[in-house]
Amino acid sequence: MNKWINNKTYVKIHSGYNEIGGNIIEVGHKDTKIVFDLGLSFTRYKKFYEWPLRTPRGIDELIELNVVPKVPGLFNQNEEDINAIFITHAHRDHSELIQYLQKDIPIYMGETSKIIINTRKEVYGNKYEIDIDTVIRPLRTGYRVDIGNIEVEAIHVDHSIPGAYAYIIQTPDTTLLYTGDYRLHGGKICEKSLTLDLIERAKQYDNIDLFITEGTRFIDSTPDREIDVLNKLNQIMSQFNGLILLEYSYLDIDRYESILEASMNWNREIIFDYRHFIFLYNLYKKDPGLHDKIGFDRNRDLIHVYVKNIKRLRKNVKETLSEIDKEGFNVINELDNIIDKNVILEGFDLHLQDIYKKRPEYCIAIHSTSEPYDEEIEISYEKIINWLKMLGAPSYRIHSSGHIHPIDLMKVYREIKPKDVLVIHSEHPDQIKRLLQKNK
Ligand SMILES: [Zn+2]
């Protein structure tokens, strides 16, 4: 654990220091205690567990194995309370441990994150011991919340998932800025990064005493933007006729837009895995801010939803799929008619054996996710490559990161001019801190 103190304010990094993901940060002043993010560290999780063979039997086991740190007042009923929890975004390495909360601590997060967490419950059957509908209190950018003698302001940032927020935290003697995961690039041409709003807001505060920033990227950075991804997808689709197998982080709505735009340009239909599609569908239905971005009204004919065996699914998933069908999307349950066509099969990594059985004439694969850090995917990359070799499918990686790269981070630091910095969500916190402090 890493601890930082200023007057009567303290910051404890319970998890997420010197590692990527698993953020749990406690900020306190006198009797008020707030926790920011409830992330699971996949690095430590993978040492003991393997889905679906071996999954955690509860929070006590996770704490005993040191997969999750012991945070007084957070998971244990009998200890003094944490007053509130703020989640920056719904990636699992920032929010997964909500499942293990046993008492009703108010949880603040963006409205979009709440939709995503509810959809995980619907699609993957995530179980919660608390009633998340009443405990989660949704935020929008600019909202300020008073918790005891601490004020927290939420400001949206760009990240590879919608609904990501940074928090400016004011105690009676200290001002802190916690970024969560963010980037300064992203968005399409002419679209300004949401993160610029954070910089402007941070500059209005007199002094940021501590800047708690992510530092995921250090080695092998590229300044790729989403527009570069779109250009590369266009290039491939213009030159290749045949089946394109594609995998992307299905919560990345910017990526979804690029894939859809390239598909529209080259008149290619997309077959979505039903699980991923339900997330898109719920965000489209329930989040007015994403309605245009997801844009089902423009392109319903291009979209199909693949579900192999609808009978085996849980009742609520069946109901959502029947609603999707009634809304005019084409729900298909076999791949026969598409395997040798100019279509895109999204989420192919979940259907490798079905694809192999059909022996497509030829196909290529596009990985549109990052390696090796991914906040959502658990299937081993090596195994996917082995199947692709058997299929004779060459693969491309087309990606733009959700995380800020070092030069942009230096830019943000120069603008905000914090008194001190703590780099988390990073394997190189000391090097990044030195880099930032040298470039004032
Ligand atoms: Zn993230």
Side-chain angles (χ1 to χ4, degrees), residues 42-79:
F42 288 120
T43 320
R44 275 179 274 141
Y45 177 91
K46 280 176 187 164
K47 281 186 187 169
F48 299 97
Y49 301 107
E50 190 179 7
W51 191 86
L53 278 180
R54 204 168 293 108
T55 54
R57 292 202 173 155
I59 190 66
D60 292 342
E61 185 181 87
L62 284 164
I63 292 173
E64 273 166 34
L65 296 172
N66 203 23
V67 173
V68 172
K70 195 165 175 9
V71 182
L74 190 58
F75 298 110
N76 191 321
Q77 297 269 23
N78 305 319
E79 290 170 334

mmCIF file of all heavy atoms in Angstrom, residues 42-79:
data_model
loop_
_atom_site.group_PDB
_atom_site.id
_atom_site.type_symbol
_atom_site.label_atom_id
_atom_site.label_comp_id
_atom_site.label_asym_id
_atom_site.label_seq_id
_atom_site.Cartn_x
_atom_site.Cartn_y
_atom_site.Cartn_z
ATOM 1 N N PHE A 42 -6.519 -8.325 -12.240
ATOM 2 C CA PHE A 42 -6.547 -9.582 -12.986
ATOM 3 C C PHE A 42 -5.241 -10.350 -12.857
ATOM 4 O O PHE A 42 -5.227 -11.570 -12.926
ATOM 5 C CB PHE A 42 -6.897 -9.331 -14.456
ATOM 6 C CG PHE A 42 -8.343 -8.966 -14.635
ATOM 7 C CD1 PHE A 42 -8.710 -7.752 -15.193
ATOM 8 C CD2 PHE A 42 -9.345 -9.821 -14.223
ATOM 9 C CE1 PHE A 42 -10.040 -7.399 -15.325
ATOM 10 C CE2 PHE A 42 -10.686 -9.488 -14.352
ATOM 11 C CZ PHE A 42 -11.029 -8.273 -14.909
ATOM 12 N N THR A 43 -4.149 -9.624 -12.663
ATOM 13 C CA THR A 43 -2.843 -10.289 -12.519
ATOM 14 C C THR A 43 -2.885 -11.213 -11.300
ATOM 15 O O THR A 43 -2.461 -12.368 -11.358
ATOM 16 C CB THR A 43 -1.743 -9.226 -12.304
ATOM 17 O OG1 THR A 43 -2.016 -8.121 -13.143
ATOM 18 C CG2 THR A 43 -0.367 -9.766 -12.571
ATOM 19 N N ARG A 44 -3.417 -10.688 -10.179
ATOM 20 C CA ARG A 44 -3.464 -11.508 -8.969
ATOM 21 C C ARG A 44 -4.580 -12.554 -9.049
ATOM 22 O O ARG A 44 -4.423 -13.671 -8.592
ATOM 23 C CB ARG A 44 -3.630 -10.604 -7.746
ATOM 24 C CG ARG A 44 -2.271 -10.086 -7.269
ATOM 25 C CD ARG A 44 -2.392 -9.181 -6.077
ATOM 26 N NE ARG A 44 -2.637 -7.811 -6.507
ATOM 27 C CZ ARG A 44 -3.461 -6.987 -5.890
ATOM 28 N NH1 ARG A 44 -4.144 -7.398 -4.851
ATOM 29 N NH2 ARG A 44 -3.610 -5.759 -6.328
ATOM 30 N N TYR A 45 -5.689 -12.197 -9.680
ATOM 31 C CA TYR A 45 -6.820 -13.123 -9.847
ATOM 32 C C TYR A 45 -6.381 -14.372 -10.629
ATOM 33 O O TYR A 45 -6.689 -15.499 -10.255
ATOM 34 C CB TYR A 45 -7.944 -12.386 -10.581
ATOM 35 C CG TYR A 45 -9.165 -13.200 -10.908
ATOM 36 C CD1 TYR A 45 -10.234 -13.271 -10.022
ATOM 37 C CD2 TYR A 45 -9.255 -13.885 -12.116
ATOM 38 C CE1 TYR A 45 -11.364 -14.010 -10.332
ATOM 39 C CE2 TYR A 45 -10.382 -14.625 -12.433
ATOM 40 C CZ TYR A 45 -11.430 -14.683 -11.542
ATOM 41 O OH TYR A 45 -12.545 -15.416 -11.855
ATOM 42 N N LYS A 46 -5.608 -14.138 -11.690
ATOM 43 C CA LYS A 46 -5.220 -15.254 -12.565
ATOM 44 C C LYS A 46 -4.239 -16.215 -11.904
ATOM 45 O O LYS A 46 -4.040 -17.327 -12.380
ATOM 46 C CB LYS A 46 -4.616 -14.703 -13.869
ATOM 47 C CG LYS A 46 -5.684 -14.250 -14.851
ATOM 48 C CD LYS A 46 -5.066 -13.622 -16.075
ATOM 49 C CE LYS A 46 -6.133 -13.029 -16.962
ATOM 50 N NZ LYS A 46 -5.555 -12.100 -17.941
ATOM 51 N N LYS A 47 -3.596 -15.782 -10.812
ATOM 52 C CA LYS A 47 -2.682 -16.680 -10.103
ATOM 53 C C LYS A 47 -3.442 -17.855 -9.491
ATOM 54 O O LYS A 47 -2.886 -18.915 -9.274
ATOM 55 C CB LYS A 47 -1.982 -15.917 -8.971
ATOM 56 C CG LYS A 47 -0.842 -15.044 -9.424
ATOM 57 C CD LYS A 47 -0.168 -14.479 -8.186
ATOM 58 C CE LYS A 47 0.868 -13.453 -8.578
ATOM 59 N NZ LYS A 47 1.334 -12.720 -7.387
ATOM 60 N N PHE A 48 -4.716 -17.653 -9.164
ATOM 61 C CA PHE A 48 -5.479 -18.675 -8.439
ATOM 62 C C PHE A 48 -6.720 -19.176 -9.187
ATOM 63 O O PHE A 48 -7.196 -20.262 -8.904
ATOM 64 C CB PHE A 48 -5.940 -18.127 -7.080
ATOM 65 C CG PHE A 48 -4.804 -17.727 -6.193
ATOM 66 C CD1 PHE A 48 -4.402 -16.405 -6.120
ATOM 67 C CD2 PHE A 48 -4.107 -18.682 -5.472
ATOM 68 C CE1 PHE A 48 -3.336 -16.034 -5.306
ATOM 69 C CE2 PHE A 48 -3.043 -18.324 -4.660
ATOM 70 C CZ PHE A 48 -2.653 -16.989 -4.572
ATOM 71 N N TYR A 49 -7.246 -18.370 -10.083
ATOM 72 C CA TYR A 49 -8.551 -18.698 -10.655
ATOM 73 C C TYR A 49 -8.492 -18.823 -12.180
ATOM 74 O O TYR A 49 -7.647 -18.219 -12.834
ATOM 75 C CB TYR A 49 -9.576 -17.629 -10.284
ATOM 76 C CG TYR A 49 -9.750 -17.453 -8.797
ATOM 77 C CD1 TYR A 49 -9.246 -16.318 -8.153
ATOM 78 C CD2 TYR A 49 -10.387 -18.422 -8.036
ATOM 79 C CE1 TYR A 49 -9.398 -16.154 -6.779
ATOM 80 C CE2 TYR A 49 -10.544 -18.269 -6.662
ATOM 81 C CZ TYR A 49 -10.051 -17.127 -6.040
ATOM 82 O OH TYR A 49 -10.203 -16.980 -4.691
ATOM 83 N N GLU A 50 -9.424 -19.606 -12.678
ATOM 84 C CA GLU A 50 -9.546 -19.781 -14.126
ATOM 85 C C GLU A 50 -11.017 -20.042 -14.421
ATOM 86 O O GLU A 50 -11.570 -21.061 -13.968
ATOM 87 C CB GLU A 50 -8.701 -20.973 -14.567
ATOM 88 C CG GLU A 50 -8.573 -21.098 -16.056
ATOM 89 C CD GLU A 50 -7.700 -22.284 -16.439
ATOM 90 O OE1 GLU A 50 -7.314 -23.082 -15.559
ATOM 91 O OE2 GLU A 50 -7.426 -22.410 -17.643
ATOM 92 N N TRP A 51 -11.619 -19.101 -15.135
ATOM 93 C CA TRP A 51 -13.034 -19.246 -15.436
ATOM 94 C C TRP A 51 -13.225 -20.259 -16.558
ATOM 95 O O TRP A 51 -12.439 -20.244 -17.503
ATOM 96 C CB TRP A 51 -13.583 -17.873 -15.871
ATOM 97 C CG TRP A 51 -15.072 -17.865 -15.935
ATOM 98 C CD1 TRP A 51 -15.944 -17.625 -14.929
ATOM 99 C CD2 TRP A 51 -15.866 -18.120 -17.107
ATOM 100 N NE1 TRP A 51 -17.231 -17.724 -15.375
ATOM 101 C CE2 TRP A 51 -17.218 -18.039 -16.711
ATOM 102 C CE3 TRP A 51 -15.578 -18.446 -18.439
ATOM 103 C CZ2 TRP A 51 -18.265 -18.244 -17.606
ATOM 104 C CZ3 TRP A 51 -16.606 -18.661 -19.321
ATOM 105 C CH2 TRP A 51 -17.937 -18.555 -18.900
ATOM 106 N N PRO A 52 -14.185 -21.214 -16.526
ATOM 107 C CA PRO A 52 -15.190 -21.411 -15.478
ATOM 108 C C PRO A 52 -14.805 -22.492 -14.456
ATOM 109 O O PRO A 52 -15.617 -22.819 -13.607
ATOM 110 C CB PRO A 52 -16.402 -21.870 -16.295
ATOM 111 C CG PRO A 52 -15.818 -22.671 -17.405
ATOM 112 C CD PRO A 52 -14.468 -22.068 -17.707
ATOM 113 N N LEU A 53 -13.573 -23.011 -14.566
ATOM 114 C CA LEU A 53 -13.174 -24.126 -13.694
ATOM 115 C C LEU A 53 -13.104 -23.756 -12.225
ATOM 116 O O LEU A 53 -13.549 -24.489 -11.360
ATOM 117 C CB LEU A 53 -11.773 -24.602 -14.105
ATOM 118 C CG LEU A 53 -11.650 -25.555 -15.271
ATOM 119 C CD1 LEU A 53 -10.192 -25.885 -15.475
ATOM 120 C CD2 LEU A 53 -12.457 -26.821 -15.007
ATOM 121 N N ARG A 54 -12.466 -22.605 -11.954
ATOM 122 C CA ARG A 54 -12.207 -22.250 -10.558
ATOM 123 C C ARG A 54 -12.501 -20.773 -10.378
ATOM 124 O O ARG A 54 -11.764 -19.927 -10.882
ATOM 125 C CB ARG A 54 -10.739 -22.542 -10.261
ATOM 126 C CG ARG A 54 -10.426 -22.782 -8.827
ATOM 127 C CD ARG A 54 -9.041 -23.340 -8.642
ATOM 128 N NE ARG A 54 -8.872 -24.678 -9.186
ATOM 129 C CZ ARG A 54 -8.171 -24.972 -10.282
ATOM 130 N NH1 ARG A 54 -7.555 -24.031 -10.937
ATOM 131 N NH2 ARG A 54 -8.082 -26.211 -10.715
ATOM 132 N N THR A 55 -13.605 -20.486 -9.727
ATOM 133 C CA THR A 55 -13.983 -19.076 -9.540
ATOM 134 C C THR A 55 -14.043 -18.773 -8.032
ATOM 135 O O THR A 55 -14.170 -19.689 -7.222
ATOM 136 C CB THR A 55 -15.354 -18.794 -10.198
ATOM 137 O OG1 THR A 55 -16.293 -19.737 -9.682
ATOM 138 C CG2 THR A 55 -15.305 -18.918 -11.709
ATOM 139 N N PRO A 56 -13.944 -17.506 -7.620
ATOM 140 C CA PRO A 56 -13.882 -17.178 -6.200
ATOM 141 C C PRO A 56 -15.115 -17.650 -5.432
ATOM 142 O O PRO A 56 -16.223 -17.605 -5.944
ATOM 143 C CB PRO A 56 -13.813 -15.644 -6.196
ATOM 144 C CG PRO A 56 -13.338 -15.264 -7.530
ATOM 145 C CD PRO A 56 -13.848 -16.297 -8.471
ATOM 146 N N ARG A 57 -14.886 -18.085 -4.193
ATOM 147 C CA ARG A 57 -16.008 -18.529 -3.349
ATOM 148 C C ARG A 57 -16.443 -17.427 -2.390
ATOM 149 O O ARG A 57 -17.135 -17.695 -1.421
ATOM 150 C CB ARG A 57 -15.602 -19.763 -2.570
ATOM 151 C CG ARG A 57 -15.416 -20.933 -3.510
ATOM 152 C CD ARG A 57 -15.542 -22.241 -2.790
ATOM 153 N NE ARG A 57 -15.518 -23.314 -3.768
ATOM 154 C CZ ARG A 57 -15.149 -24.541 -3.499
ATOM 155 N NH1 ARG A 57 -14.795 -24.857 -2.277
ATOM 156 N NH2 ARG A 57 -15.153 -25.463 -4.445
ATOM 157 N N GLY A 58 -15.992 -16.238 -2.636
ATOM 158 C CA GLY A 58 -16.437 -15.131 -1.784
ATOM 159 C C GLY A 58 -15.285 -14.198 -1.465
ATOM 160 O O GLY A 58 -14.123 -14.490 -1.752
ATOM 161 N N ILE A 59 -15.630 -13.097 -0.842
ATOM 162 C CA ILE A 59 -14.647 -12.060 -0.573
ATOM 163 C C ILE A 59 -13.599 -12.513 0.446
ATOM 164 O O ILE A 59 -12.426 -12.150 0.348
ATOM 165 C CB ILE A 59 -15.339 -10.734 -0.147
ATOM 166 C CG1 ILE A 59 -14.344 -9.573 -0.110
ATOM 167 C CG2 ILE A 59 -16.058 -10.876 1.196
ATOM 168 C CD1 ILE A 59 -13.770 -9.161 -1.410
ATOM 169 N N ASP A 60 -13.995 -13.365 1.410
ATOM 170 C CA ASP A 60 -13.028 -13.821 2.420
ATOM 171 C C ASP A 60 -11.880 -14.583 1.758
ATOM 172 O O ASP A 60 -10.718 -14.382 2.094
ATOM 173 C CB ASP A 60 -13.709 -14.713 3.462
ATOM 174 C CG ASP A 60 -14.694 -13.914 4.310
ATOM 175 O OD1 ASP A 60 -14.580 -12.664 4.314
ATOM 176 O OD2 ASP A 60 -15.575 -14.515 4.938
ATOM 177 N N GLU A 61 -12.241 -15.460 0.818
ATOM 178 C CA GLU A 61 -11.209 -16.226 0.113
ATOM 179 C C GLU A 61 -10.297 -15.286 -0.675
ATOM 180 O O GLU A 61 -9.073 -15.406 -0.644
ATOM 181 C CB GLU A 61 -11.874 -17.237 -0.822
ATOM 182 C CG GLU A 61 -10.904 -18.160 -1.517
ATOM 183 C CD GLU A 61 -11.601 -19.127 -2.466
ATOM 184 O OE1 GLU A 61 -11.825 -18.754 -3.640
ATOM 185 O OE2 GLU A 61 -11.934 -20.235 -2.034
ATOM 186 N N LEU A 62 -10.897 -14.320 -1.370
ATOM 187 C CA LEU A 62 -10.109 -13.378 -2.180
ATOM 188 C C LEU A 62 -9.136 -12.590 -1.292
ATOM 189 O O LEU A 62 -7.989 -12.343 -1.683
ATOM 190 C CB LEU A 62 -11.042 -12.415 -2.925
ATOM 191 C CG LEU A 62 -11.772 -12.986 -4.142
ATOM 192 C CD1 LEU A 62 -12.940 -12.091 -4.543
ATOM 193 C CD2 LEU A 62 -10.823 -13.151 -5.325
ATOM 194 N N ILE A 63 -9.587 -12.221 -0.094
ATOM 195 C CA ILE A 63 -8.719 -11.459 0.815
ATOM 196 C C ILE A 63 -7.619 -12.359 1.388
ATOM 197 O O ILE A 63 -6.448 -11.988 1.430
ATOM 198 C CB ILE A 63 -9.550 -10.776 1.925
ATOM 199 C CG1 ILE A 63 -10.426 -9.663 1.307
ATOM 200 C CG2 ILE A 63 -8.652 -10.188 3.018
ATOM 201 C CD1 ILE A 63 -11.428 -9.012 2.256
ATOM 202 N N GLU A 64 -7.995 -13.592 1.758
ATOM 203 C CA GLU A 64 -6.985 -14.522 2.293
ATOM 204 C C GLU A 64 -5.884 -14.800 1.286
ATOM 205 O O GLU A 64 -4.725 -14.927 1.637
ATOM 206 C CB GLU A 64 -7.646 -15.851 2.677
ATOM 207 C CG GLU A 64 -8.192 -15.853 4.100
ATOM 208 C CD GLU A 64 -9.134 -17.025 4.325
ATOM 209 O OE1 GLU A 64 -8.904 -18.096 3.739
ATOM 210 O OE2 GLU A 64 -10.126 -16.842 5.082
ATOM 211 N N LEU A 65 -6.239 -14.890 0.021
ATOM 212 C CA LEU A 65 -5.249 -15.178 -1.032
ATOM 213 C C LEU A 65 -4.499 -13.923 -1.478
ATOM 214 O O LEU A 65 -3.680 -13.970 -2.388
ATOM 215 C CB LEU A 65 -5.948 -15.809 -2.250
ATOM 216 C CG LEU A 65 -6.608 -17.164 -2.040
ATOM 217 C CD1 LEU A 65 -7.409 -17.568 -3.269
ATOM 218 C CD2 LEU A 65 -5.556 -18.231 -1.734
ATOM 219 N N ASN A 66 -4.838 -12.786 -0.862
ATOM 220 C CA ASN A 66 -4.208 -11.510 -1.204
ATOM 221 C C ASN A 66 -4.512 -11.072 -2.646
ATOM 222 O O ASN A 66 -3.750 -10.347 -3.269
ATOM 223 C CB ASN A 66 -2.697 -11.581 -0.967
ATOM 224 C CG ASN A 66 -2.115 -10.198 -0.766
ATOM 225 O OD1 ASN A 66 -2.837 -9.270 -0.381
ATOM 226 N ND2 ASN A 66 -0.844 -10.044 -1.062
ATOM 227 N N VAL A 67 -5.638 -11.579 -3.184
ATOM 228 C CA VAL A 67 -6.078 -11.128 -4.508
ATOM 229 C C VAL A 67 -6.742 -9.754 -4.333
ATOM 230 O O VAL A 67 -6.590 -8.858 -5.158
ATOM 231 C CB VAL A 67 -7.071 -12.139 -5.135
ATOM 232 C CG1 VAL A 67 -7.673 -11.605 -6.422
ATOM 233 C CG2 VAL A 67 -6.366 -13.463 -5.391
ATOM 234 N N VAL A 68 -7.467 -9.617 -3.226
ATOM 235 C CA VAL A 68 -8.109 -8.339 -2.880
ATOM 236 C C VAL A 68 -7.520 -7.875 -1.543
ATOM 237 O O VAL A 68 -7.373 -8.699 -0.631
ATOM 238 C CB VAL A 68 -9.642 -8.533 -2.764
ATOM 239 C CG1 VAL A 68 -10.319 -7.289 -2.215
ATOM 240 C CG2 VAL A 68 -10.244 -8.899 -4.125
ATOM 241 N N PRO A 69 -7.171 -6.598 -1.414
ATOM 242 C CA PRO A 69 -6.613 -6.139 -0.143
ATOM 243 C C PRO A 69 -7.687 -6.005 0.925
ATOM 244 O O PRO A 69 -8.868 -5.858 0.604
ATOM 245 C CB PRO A 69 -6.054 -4.756 -0.500
ATOM 246 C CG PRO A 69 -6.922 -4.277 -1.608
ATOM 247 C CD PRO A 69 -7.302 -5.497 -2.404
ATOM 248 N N LYS A 70 -7.260 -6.058 2.158
ATOM 249 C CA LYS A 70 -8.205 -5.843 3.262
ATOM 250 C C LYS A 70 -8.346 -4.334 3.443
ATOM 251 O O LYS A 70 -7.361 -3.645 3.691
ATOM 252 C CB LYS A 70 -7.640 -6.486 4.531
ATOM 253 C CG LYS A 70 -8.653 -6.637 5.623
ATOM 254 C CD LYS A 70 -8.117 -7.607 6.686
ATOM 255 C CE LYS A 70 -8.980 -7.762 7.896
ATOM 256 N NZ LYS A 70 -10.287 -7.185 7.937
ATOM 257 N N VAL A 71 -9.558 -3.844 3.248
ATOM 258 C CA VAL A 71 -9.813 -2.412 3.432
ATOM 259 C C VAL A 71 -10.805 -2.267 4.587
ATOM 260 O O VAL A 71 -11.969 -2.630 4.446
ATOM 261 C CB VAL A 71 -10.403 -1.775 2.148
ATOM 262 C CG1 VAL A 71 -10.624 -0.274 2.346
ATOM 263 C CG2 VAL A 71 -9.506 -2.032 0.948
ATOM 264 N N PRO A 72 -10.351 -1.770 5.752
ATOM 265 C CA PRO A 72 -11.255 -1.694 6.892
ATOM 266 C C PRO A 72 -12.552 -0.954 6.551
ATOM 267 O O PRO A 72 -12.519 0.104 5.930
ATOM 268 C CB PRO A 72 -10.436 -0.915 7.928
ATOM 269 C CG PRO A 72 -9.012 -1.171 7.541
ATOM 270 C CD PRO A 72 -9.014 -1.277 6.052
ATOM 271 N N GLY A 73 -13.674 -1.542 6.940
ATOM 272 C CA GLY A 73 -14.961 -0.875 6.751
ATOM 273 C C GLY A 73 -15.592 -1.081 5.384
ATOM 274 O O GLY A 73 -16.711 -0.648 5.145
ATOM 275 N N LEU A 74 -14.895 -1.767 4.485
ATOM 276 C CA LEU A 74 -15.442 -1.883 3.127
ATOM 277 C C LEU A 74 -16.271 -3.161 2.951
ATOM 278 O O LEU A 74 -17.440 -3.100 2.589
ATOM 279 C CB LEU A 74 -14.295 -1.836 2.111
ATOM 280 C CG LEU A 74 -14.683 -1.706 0.643
ATOM 281 C CD1 LEU A 74 -15.511 -0.453 0.399
ATOM 282 C CD2 LEU A 74 -13.444 -1.677 -0.253
ATOM 283 N N PHE A 75 -15.673 -4.307 3.214
ATOM 284 C CA PHE A 75 -16.381 -5.559 2.974
ATOM 285 C C PHE A 75 -16.935 -6.181 4.261
ATOM 286 O O PHE A 75 -17.821 -7.011 4.217
ATOM 287 C CB PHE A 75 -15.460 -6.565 2.281
ATOM 288 C CG PHE A 75 -14.991 -6.090 0.936
ATOM 289 C CD1 PHE A 75 -13.669 -5.734 0.727
ATOM 290 C CD2 PHE A 75 -15.880 -5.964 -0.119
ATOM 291 C CE1 PHE A 75 -13.236 -5.281 -0.510
ATOM 292 C CE2 PHE A 75 -15.456 -5.503 -1.362
ATOM 293 C CZ PHE A 75 -14.126 -5.168 -1.552
ATOM 294 N N ASN A 76 -16.358 -5.793 5.386
ATOM 295 C CA ASN A 76 -16.767 -6.408 6.640
ATOM 296 C C ASN A 76 -17.902 -5.612 7.298
ATOM 297 O O ASN A 76 -17.804 -4.417 7.518
ATOM 298 C CB ASN A 76 -15.560 -6.461 7.573
ATOM 299 C CG ASN A 76 -15.835 -7.335 8.784
ATOM 300 O OD1 ASN A 76 -16.948 -7.318 9.324
ATOM 301 N ND2 ASN A 76 -14.849 -8.089 9.197
ATOM 302 N N GLN A 77 -18.951 -6.331 7.630
ATOM 303 C CA GLN A 77 -20.154 -5.708 8.213
ATOM 304 C C GLN A 77 -19.862 -4.963 9.513
ATOM 305 O O GLN A 77 -20.487 -3.974 9.828
ATOM 306 C CB GLN A 77 -21.191 -6.792 8.554
ATOM 307 C CG GLN A 77 -21.708 -7.566 7.377
ATOM 308 C CD GLN A 77 -22.947 -6.917 6.787
ATOM 309 O OE1 GLN A 77 -23.171 -5.734 6.966
ATOM 310 N NE2 GLN A 77 -23.735 -7.686 6.071
ATOM 311 N N ASN A 78 -18.930 -5.499 10.294
ATOM 312 C CA ASN A 78 -18.827 -5.059 11.691
ATOM 313 C C ASN A 78 -17.873 -3.888 11.928
ATOM 314 O O ASN A 78 -17.786 -3.377 13.029
ATOM 315 C CB ASN A 78 -18.382 -6.232 12.559
ATOM 316 C CG ASN A 78 -19.321 -7.411 12.370
ATOM 317 O OD1 ASN A 78 -20.535 -7.203 12.290
ATOM 318 N ND2 ASN A 78 -18.789 -8.597 12.256
ATOM 319 N N GLU A 79 -17.154 -3.493 10.902
ATOM 320 C CA GLU A 79 -16.179 -2.426 11.136
ATOM 321 C C GLU A 79 -16.764 -1.060 10.828
ATOM 322 O O GLU A 79 -17.808 -0.937 10.203
ATOM 323 C CB GLU A 79 -14.936 -2.681 10.286
ATOM 324 C CG GLU A 79 -14.153 -3.888 10.801
ATOM 325 C CD GLU A 79 -13.053 -4.304 9.852
ATOM 326 O OE1 GLU A 79 -13.173 -4.042 8.632
ATOM 327 O OE2 GLU A 79 -12.069 -4.893 10.323
#
